[in-house]
Amino acid sequence: PFGITAHEVDGNDVSAVWCVAGEMLEAMRAGGGPGLLVAHTYRTRGHVEAEINFLSQPYRSDEEVASWVARDPLDRAAALLIDIGLTADEIVEIRKRVRAAVDEASARARSAPAPDPKLVKSMMFSEVDAW
């Protein structure tokens, strides 16, 4: 109803997400307005590691989770890279570099000072004067 272009994609397919997002970005940059990308994916781990302690029964079967684990987006991306000529050793090195970058960013975030609570409104809304 708002005239926003929307696309759905398999969120576990890195290549598909990349292609659709790229097409949408090009359209937006060309003046096509906003877009909505719905990437269907799945949380293979529970919201809480001990969720079984909070529920009388699991809310999903082991088979359901296993079917999604088999479609892991990182494993699928690695297979695609191998298909186009990278070696397994190169994939291992890529994973190491990514892990190091994530670890460094996490450490930087954990060591950063907490934001000033007085700034909360200026960080959430575009017009602070409305308050």
Side-chain angles (χ1 to χ4, degrees):
F2 301 107
I4 297 174
T5 302
H7 297 278
E8 290 185 68
V9 67
D10 176 357
N12 283 23
D13 182 341
V14 174
S15 180
V17 172
W18 179 268
C19 290
V20 174
E23 291 168 5
M24 292 179 70
L25 186 58
E26 284 183 32
M28 286 183 248
R29 287 180 174 159
L36 172 68
L37 177 57
V38 178
H40 298 279
T41 189
Y42 188 85
R43 180 189 296 268
T44 57
R45 294 175 65 176
H47 293 276
V48 177
E49 290 301 314
E51 67 188 17
I52 194 68
N53 296 330
F54 302 111
L55 303 170
S56 60
Q57 63 185 17
Y59 67 93
R60 54 197 184 162
S61 70
D62 291 341
E63 294 80 15
E64 177 184 332
V65 174
S67 73
W68 281 93
V69 167
R71 297 178 57 223
D72 179 88
L74 297 180
D75 292 340
R76 290 173 73 184
L80 178 65
L81 292 173
I82 287 172
D83 285 348
I84 63 171
L86 270 71
T87 67
D89 288 342
E90 289 171 312
I91 301 295
V92 168
E93 286 304 312
I94 290 169
R95 286 182 187 248
K96 285 181 183 176
R97 287 197 315 267
V98 170
R99 172 51 58 199
V102 169
D103 288 347
E104 190 245 321
S106 295
R108 199 170 55 246
R110 282 191 301 273
S111 67
D116 182 349
K118 295 175 188 167
L119 299 176
V120 69
K121 292 179 184 174
S122 68
M123 295 179 172
M124 290 177 55
F125 303 100
S126 61
E127 294 182 30
V128 177
D129 294 339
W131 296 94

